[in-house]
Amino acid sequence: FFIKDRFLRKYTFGSGKDVAVLQLKHGDSNCQPNCLSYNPAESSIIVSTVNSSKSAGTTYYEVYQIGKDRGDRGDVQMGEGKRMKGVTAVWVARNRYAALDSSGKLLVKSSSHETTKTIELTGGIDYIYYAGTGTVLLRNPESVSLYDIQQKITVASVRIPKVVRVVWSNDMSHLALLCKRTIAICNRKLELKATIHESVKIKSAAWNEQGVLIYTTANHIKYTLHNGDNGIVRTLDLPIYISAVKDNNVYCLDREAKPRVLTIDSTEFKFKLALVDKKYDEVLHMVRNANLYGQAIIAYLQKKGYPEVALHFVKDPKTRFNLAVECGNIEACNVSSSDTRRCSRLGETLSDCSTARKSPGGRNSISTYEEL
């Protein structure tokens, strides 16, 4: 779902069908939609707004009931939504949603909009995000906390200032906290796993099925793994805003809120993910069949401690020799050192390795030296 020209629209990924579902109510021109929370069980959606005026003003959220076949017959009507004052609201159960009011209280409401619970929050909470059934993420200017609504306790927290957006992985095991120029990767317990810094503003992000975060800046589509390994997927002519990633397709909106589908090459991050997950059968398959040549991949494999894998990508004798020494591959050393200069280098390198006789990491190199 997305909003364009005050119409709530539905885009179907498989067919590419884009239809208007309903027309939103007219309200304060300074209040613009900035967050959607969809409840598939009730076929309801919450539209939260943000005040775009320089002076602080009233914000509100609206709850709309959507028929499951609404818009399929072209019957676009004015939505009969319930409008209430508040900062934002998200669904927390099949028939309940949580709303943050302007005084910082958390209100739990039924689908009929009756308040069933009021929770006093402390710590300057200024926004809430979806976090699964019965929980929400609470944001203040300095941190984000996972809050259990039923028990009224903070389960976990992480110190990440000025979070703008939260993106959960498909299985809810990880989340990305998006700031202006920083992405923090955390697990469900809000344990920080990696931080990615950009020199320009981060526009959007979405997780693919394998748990790789695909995100955009003004000029690039990029990726990052759970451990922070990242890279560029492709360049962009104009900024886009990602809504989903499936296989090699990036589903997004452009600046005119027009749905687009971009194709990406996922080979590089799939290869790195297979290494991180120790799926060596997939690594071997990609080494033999994928187009992964380049100094960047070789440097990555060396850095991560996989010189034996890097050997498969290198043809230059000197580079192959250095990699062979590093991983203790005697056969590759012999082939690469056939040149007399390589032999000289062999003696110098392995002689240096012998000085590490007392260190645990030096045993393979010493053994290689003695055998040669």
Side-chain angles (χ1 to χ4, degrees), residues 115-186:
T115 301
T116 60
K117 186 181 296 185
T118 301
I119 302 172
E120 297 281 350
L121 299 176
T122 59
I125 303 302
D126 58 13
Y127 211 82
I128 62 173
Y129 299 95
Y130 174 76
T133 303
T135 57
V136 291
L137 286 174
L138 307 178
R139 183 193 75 180
N140 66 30
E142 298 298 326
S143 64
V144 171
S145 301
L146 181 63
Y147 189 81
D148 189 305
I149 295 174
Q150 184 65 34
Q151 300 183 53
K152 297 182 181 181
I153 60 171
T154 298
V155 179
S157 63
V158 62
R159 186 177 177 80
I160 304 293
K162 299 180 180 180
V163 171
V164 176
R165 189 180 170 201
V166 174
V167 183
W168 286 94
S169 61
N170 296 341
D171 60 0
M172 299 289 289
S173 64
H174 288 80
L175 68 158
L177 303 175
L178 274 58
C179 306
K180 188 175 182 179
R181 292 186 175 88
T182 305
I183 297 177
I185 306 295
C186 300

Side-chain angles (χ1 to χ4, degrees), residues 6 38 57 87 131 213 301 312 340 342:
R6 298 208 65 80
Y38 179 58
V87 178
L213 183 73
L301 291 169
H312 292 275
T340 57
R342 302 286 182 265

Side-chain angles (χ1 to χ4, degrees), residues 88-129:
T88 187
V90 294
W91 292 101
V92 294
R94 179 189 179 101
N95 57 359
R96 285 184 300 150
Y97 64 90
L100 181 68
D101 70 8
S102 56
S103 65
K105 294 179 182 178
L106 188 66
L107 309 178
V108 180
K109 298 188 176 186
S110 66
S111 55
S112 58
H113 316 300
E114 297 177 355
T115 301
T116 60
K117 186 181 296 185
T118 301
I119 302 172
E120 297 281 350
L121 299 176
T122 59
I125 303 302
D126 58 13
Y127 211 82
I128 62 173
Y129 299 95

Side-chain angles (χ1 to χ4, degrees), residues 3-49:
I3 294 173
K4 180 181 181 181
D5 299 329
R6 298 208 65 80
F7 282 90
L8 179 68
R9 305 186 68 87
K10 180 175 68 173
Y11 178 83
T12 305
F13 293 125
S15 64
K17 187 177 182 180
D18 172 22
V19 297
V21 177
L22 56 83
Q23 185 176 359
L24 303 180
K25 289 182 176 181
H26 291 283
D28 186 346
S29 59
N30 291 326
C31 289
Q32 300 298 323
N34 80 319
C35 181
L36 300 178
S37 180
Y38 179 58
N39 181 347
E42 296 288 324
S43 193
S44 298
I45 196 164
I46 300 174
V47 181
S48 300
T49 65

